[in-house]
Amino acid sequence: MEFVHKPVLLNETIENLDIKPDGIYIDGTAGGGGHSSEIAKRLENGRLICIDQDPEAILTLHNRFDNDNKVTIYKSNFSEMKEAANKLEIYSVDGILLDIGVSSRQLDTPERGFSYHHDAPLDMRMSKDGTTAADLVNTLPFNELCKILTLYGEEKFAKSIVRAIEQRRAVKPIETTLELAEIVANAYPAKARRDGHPARKTFQALRIAVNGELDRLSEGLDAAFSLLKNGGRLAVITFHSLEDRIVKQRMAKWCQGCTCPKDFPICVCGNTPSAKLVTKKPIEASNEELEENPRSRSAKLRVCEKIKDYKRIYE
């Protein structure tokens, strides 16, 4: 099956990256190559590094770009982009794009186990390596599962759901997506079921935990900023509040100047901004895009530009 992923906020992203024909760019979550293709079209003697951890995406990218000598494809998680770039003897770049989260192709391939709409093995691994969602559901103790659902899914009925999971797995392992979706739905209060599918938050939380998404995002933002040249731009697309909060706070920290208490008569910290915001507020999908691609409804694009190296050590 072809790796299909309709790129969200495509025109807005390309415009705000301000692509130079001779620049060097990284698409850290290249997927099916939708955004990458538009970047590559604007390069003359520049270079594009397409990174993805999904082996199916890598195959699609090779099929799409193998005849384009401006494009290099690298299998890795975007959090390791600095190591990947350095191996290619690239030490600074003009722009980086991160489109965070699960792709349409992954959601629409039942056997990947991301969707509660299809019956499939309970997997959810973006890289196809490591611990599965079934491993977590069947082995983690009550408190740890509750923490995952509460922290990553913001699920207020986490305790009821985990109790139901414990009851089922005591009889037999929970192995499929629909099996888990049914358990969650039955544990949900009837009056709360009108707010979307009851399993939505549980599946989101497990997917984030399986793939370490928030940790990888934090690491990836630091790696990206360290690679940017002065004047280089970082564009990040997120799809839920947990991701967006991390991006917003990190960009704000890069853009922060003096951190001295307000009652100090003069600055003694010496801190000056390392970046400036290109987008003061997040860019969201237009009505036209929402009609064409409903999955863009929660997408937010934030862009910043590096103005000097970031010297401060994170707390």
Side-chain angles (χ1 to χ4, degrees), residues 149-150 154-162 187-189 191-192:
L149 267 58
T150 302
E154 298 177 302
E155 176 56 81
K156 59 184 176 181
F157 303 113
K159 289 184 178 180
S160 298
I161 292 168
V162 177
Y188 236 65
K191 63 181 180 180

Side-chain angles (χ1 to χ4, degrees), residues 134-151:
D135 294 331
L136 299 185
V137 165
N138 289 301
T139 63
L140 288 183
F142 180 87
N143 287 341
E144 289 189 37
L145 263 182
C146 282
K147 183 178 180 181
I148 286 173
L149 267 58
T150 302
L151 185 61

Side-chain angles (χ1 to χ4, degrees), residues 18-33:
D18 191 27
I19 296 165
K20 301 176 178 63
D22 60 348
I24 302 174
Y25 295 86
I26 294 176
D27 186 343
T29 50

Side-chain angles (χ1 to χ4, degrees), residues 16 20 32 56 62 74-75 89-90 94 108 141 156 163 174 190 204 212 218 229 236 263 270 279 290-291 302 307:
N16 281 284
K20 301 176 178 63
E56 293 179 6
H62 276 295
Y74 197 97
K75 184 180 181 298
E89 298 184 345
I90 293 173
D94 295 279
D108 294 337
K156 59 184 176 181
R163 287 192 193 100
I174 301 166
Q204 172 185 297
S218 181
K229 299 176 181 177
V236 186
D263 58 351
T279 54
L290 289 171
E291 290 180 7
R302 295 184 185 271
I307 57 178

